Structures are given as C-alpha cells and as structure tokens.
Amino acid sequence: FNFYHNTPPTPLQSKKGVLLYEIEKVLGKVDCECGRIKYLVKWMGYPHSENSCITKLPKKFVKEWA
C-alpha cells in the first residue's frame, strides 16, 4: 500500500498562491522532435507512476543536467 498514491503530500505554496512541487531526482534528458529539451523528473513524495517531463529545471539541477 502506497500512502502517497491515494493522499499526495501537500505542495509548497508560493507568495503568489501558485502550488509548487519539489523534485526529488532528475531521471533523464530527452531531445524532442520539436527541438526542445525535456527532463524526466521524480516528484518528492509521489510514486514513479507520477513521474513527468518538464522543460525547465530548477537551479539546483542545472549544473548536472544542462
């Protein structure tokens, strides 16, 4: 039983009221056909089934993946 699958952790909230989710780990980098680069990420507190791609990395990951 995965507790977070049914009840995800509470995201952080920015000063502007935007919900923010913490990246646990960057799993890979993909060059898309459209010419953009996307990064596969594992979200903190979520199962791998919730992994997704993002186009912009937070600063703490840029050095390793850019």
Side-chain angles (χ1 to χ4, degrees):
F1 177 77
N2 185 334
F3 176 78
Y4 292 122
H5 184 68
N6 293 320
T7 311
T10 305
L12 303 171
Q13 192 164 17
S14 74
K15 292 179 183 178
K16 295 181 180 180
V18 176
L19 297 179
L20 303 173
Y21 296 86
E22 187 175 354
I23 294 173
E24 180 177 323
K25 185 176 182 179
V26 178
L27 303 173
K29 179 178 174 180
V30 178
D31 292 317
C32 297
E33 292 177 11
C34 65
R36 295 175 73 171
I37 296 173
K38 292 187 179 181
Y39 302 91
L40 178 63
V41 297
K42 161 95 174 60
W43 300 105
M44 183 72 72
Y46 287 87
H48 281 284
S49 61
E50 298 295 326
N51 293 354
S52 60
C53 288
I54 60 172
T55 56
K56 188 173 181 181
L57 288 177
K59 290 180 184 179
K60 73 179 191 177
F61 296 104
V62 170
K63 197 174 206 177
E64 180 182 354
W65 287 94

